Amino acid sequence: QVQVVESGGGLVQPGGSLRLSCAASGSIFRVNAMGWYRQAPGKERELVAVITTRSYTNYADSVKGRFTISRDNAKNTVYLQMNSLRPDDTAVYYCNVDYYSGSGYMIAWGQGTQVTVSA
């Protein structure tokens, strides 16, 4: 069993900042890539940012220069610092963990955390 728990969502005004955290625990031999996705009402889930074990990163064009992904390998934790938030950033944000269980490669998702950007 693997648990993925996100935190840090909430309501923020346009131009504000939030920091999301995601911790993976359980039957994990090694965590590989970690990422953040989001899904707005009526839209498909989309990639926001991803980070590899060597901290190579990739971002959606819509968040480049505003969001920063980072990780703490010792804690199997990934963070998403979100600055200059806009109303169109409103969505449920999901953490994705790509890991090796010891017997195979697996993917786990968190339950999501709501981010609402509104005046």
Side-chain angles (χ1 to χ4, degrees):
Q1 291 275 348
V2 172
Q3 295 79 42
V4 178
V5 180
E6 303 112 331
S7 61
L11 173 64
V12 64
Q13 292 186 342
S17 298
L18 282 175
R19 187 188 193 217
L20 305 183
S21 300
C22 167
S25 61
S27 302
I28 298 173
F29 182 79
R30 182 182 65 249
V31 173
N32 297 320
M34 304 181 81
W36 289 95
Y37 290 71
R38 67 186 181 186
Q39 187 166 19
K43 295 188 177 181
E44 294 186 353
R45 190 173 296 189
E46 64 176 1
L47 173 69
V48 176
V50 64
I51 185 168
T52 69
T53 53
R54 296 187 178 185
S55 294
Y56 294 116
T57 60
N58 189 39
Y59 295 91
D61 287 342
S62 60
V63 307
K64 284 180 181 177
R66 300 188 297 123
F67 291 10
T68 302
I69 190 170
S70 61
R71 64 188 286 168
D72 183 334
N73 291 332
K75 297 180 180 179
N76 287 341
T77 298
V78 63
Y79 307 96
L80 185 68
Q81 178 66 44
M82 304 185 294
N83 298 327
S84 302
L85 282 161
R86 311 184 308 213
D88 61 357
D89 293 316
T90 296
V92 178
Y93 284 69
Y94 296 93
C95 179
N96 171 280
V97 178
D98 182 355
Y99 67 97
Y100 181 63
S101 67
S103 58
Y105 290 92
M106 312 287 283
I107 294 175
W109 290 89
Q111 292 187 327
T113 185
Q114 177 70 46
V115 171
T116 302
V117 184
S118 175

